[in-house]
Amino acid sequence: MAALTLARLQPKLLAPIELEIGAGELVFISGPSGAGKSLLLRAIADLDPSQGEVLIDAQPRSLIPAPEWRRRVGLLPAETGWWADQVGAHFAISPAEPAQASAMATPAGAVDATPTQGGFPDEVAQVKGDQLGITGLARLLARLGFQSDVLDWDVQRLSTGERQRLALARLLVNGPEVLLLDEATANLDPSNRAQAEQLIDDYRRQRRAAVLWASHDPDQRQRLAQAAGGRCFVIEAGRLQAESPA
Amino acid sequence: MDLISLSLFDLALASGLVLLLAALSWRLHLGIERRILIAAARSTVQLVLLGLVLKVLFATTNPLLIGLLALMMLSVAGWEVMARQRRRFRGAWGYGIGALSMFLSSFSITVVALTVLIGVTPWYQPQYLIPLLGMLLGNTMNGIAVALDGLTRQTWEGRNRIEAQLLLGATWSEAIADIRRDALRAGLIPITNAMATAGLVSLPGMMTGQILAGSPPMEAAKYQLLIMFLIASGTGLGSVAAVWIGARRLFDGRHRLRLERLRAARG
């Protein structure tokens, strides 16, 4: 659980930004393409150089090593990147402790959870600190509509939507305390989008994660912000302002 | 055995073959006749000049002049490495990474070879130093140019895959590890292949030269082996240095990929 604070953070093209997102809060940003939504998210994740400071639970970013910062403040970029041939190889990067024996020993039948069966697998997460075991990953994938054999799939043959959903799973299994989402559901069909929205919502509530979501879909912003009591901002002329209700 | 001296007429005949090649290129619309002719003319002028310079150097064994010539060879090689990059580092790095890596590898290995292995006195005796350094520089230059080009080009094209790894908490070194490995491998393939086929398919240049000059074949073979080992280690060391410095330069202290430190080569 973590709150995110932007203290006069100044990404490229934008005026300095003051913004506080509480633990478990949902905040949307929108704006015309090229306004700088992605640049803002990249600046927060420390992927682009920026002026100013970002704090996670009052810890300044400048005092946290960059790799650790990016694990804790997880960005899902609009365009996902894949560096290995098979899907499964992309889930092994977190320098996590190896999955615990109990999780490894879970019989295969128990791994095969159906999407309707469970909520977000946070009981697993609590047992193992912030790392999800094999069970957690399988359930996460199931909630996004994948069988666990997806890990053997060839990345080249994935559709854009599949890539987006798998990138979300890859990010969440890393256990970030803050989520930065850049058009997280832009390429998904309605049913997949609903699944992804639900998963993100569960993650936000159960982990009390601050979520900053760039979305160009006004309907999605309104619907989710209303349900979660979230705020909406818009980037206009290089400034971040509260979005006037449509 | 006497060395048969080549006459100007012999060389003119050989150059006729190059002219024939250029004519063929022109006839077949290959479009490289100009480059062939310019390269041939360049090598003529450069080698004749080198012959003249070496003649003077051999007569004097002046360390200052030898150092000057070595420095000139290095600076030209550095420029050549840069010229072969499609994506170059901005600023002094573009020239510096290649030149520094070549300096580190070629010069140190040449000095080791002259002092420890061959044992020439004085060690800077130009008859040994200049050809050795030339062969080392020429080969490391190729290796480093290929390796660096692979590094910068793949990084430029692989921005998404690198940043995806960074975003999940990888360090800069982890995020570029596979590209770095690929680049190094590409740089080392030519010399590895040369060693593998030496003597079976090709008679390496140096051995050929010594045999033509009348050396016993076994002596020529031993020298060739020495040179090949030196070249392989020099190319390896130089490529490792260049790729390591280059990869580091592509990221900053906060493990951010800084592609703006590269620029496209003109043309």
Side-chain angles (χ1 to χ4, degrees), chain A residues 102-189:
Chain A
S102 60
M104 295 294 274
T106 309
V111 171
D112 200 12
T114 57
T116 51
Q117 190 179 331
F120 185 79
D122 72 331
E123 66 280 10
V124 183
Q126 269 166 9
V127 172
K128 300 161 44 49
D130 249 2
Q131 300 299 335
L132 302 170
I134 304 292
T135 323
L137 177 56
R139 219 186 277 186
L140 203 56
L141 291 171
R143 290 205 52 182
L144 287 165
F146 292 107
Q147 305 285 320
S148 43
D149 74 332
V150 69
L151 295 178
D152 299 326
W153 288 9
D154 204 349
V155 169
Q156 295 289 329
R157 289 168 51 195
L158 297 175
S159 71
T160 318
E162 285 168 335
R163 282 175 191 229
Q164 207 162 31
R165 286 183 289 148
L166 285 169
L168 178 61
R170 179 173 82 179
L171 182 70
L172 292 186
V173 91
N174 226 4
E177 297 162 49
V178 170
L179 285 184
L180 309 171
L181 306 173
D182 194 352
E183 305 293 358
T185 60
N187 299 303
L188 304 186
D189 61 41

Side-chain angles (χ1 to χ4, degrees), chain B residues 142-217:
Chain B
N142 287 331
I144 288 176
V146 171
L148 263 185
D149 187 52
L151 176 77
T152 51
R153 205 161 32 80
Q154 286 194 55
T155 304
W156 185 275
E157 289 161 7
R159 176 185 174 151
N160 272 340
R161 49 190 288 210
I162 295 173
E163 291 195 334
Q165 295 175 75
L166 293 176
L167 282 174
L168 293 176
T171 63
W172 71 268
S173 185
E174 289 162 352
I176 200 155
D178 52 342
I179 289 178
R180 197 164 49 184
R181 198 170 42 231
D182 269 9
L184 264 181
R185 204 176 284 158
L188 290 181
I189 280 176
I191 180 64
T192 316
N193 288 348
M195 282 199 292
T197 59
L200 292 177
V201 181
S202 58
L203 223 59
M206 176 167 179
M207 188 166 168
T208 314
Q210 280 196 314
I211 291 175
L212 287 181
S215 293

Side-chain angles (χ1 to χ4, degrees), chain B residues 47-60 65 69:
Chain B
L47 288 179
V48 167
L49 275 180
L50 181 67
L52 289 174
V53 169
L54 288 183
K55 198 168 153 186
V56 175
L57 273 185
F58 287 4
T60 61
L65 287 180
L69 181 64

Side-chain angles (χ1 to χ4, degrees), chain A residues 42 46 64 66 70 79 174, chain B residues 159-160 163 168 254 256:
Chain A
R42 284 173 62 90
D46 211 0
I64 301 175
R70 295 190 192 112
E79 204 175 325
N174 226 4
Chain B
R159 176 185 174 151
N160 272 340
E163 291 195 334
L168 293 176
R254 294 289 293 175
R256 304 181 191 110

Side-chain angles (χ1 to χ4, degrees), chain B residues 5 18 24 30-31 44 67 83 88 90 97 100 146 183 187 254 265:
Chain B
S5 190
V18 176
L24 196 70
L30 298 183
T44 311
R88 297 173 191 170
R90 284 178 196 277
I97 292 178
L100 179 70
V146 171
R254 294 289 293 175

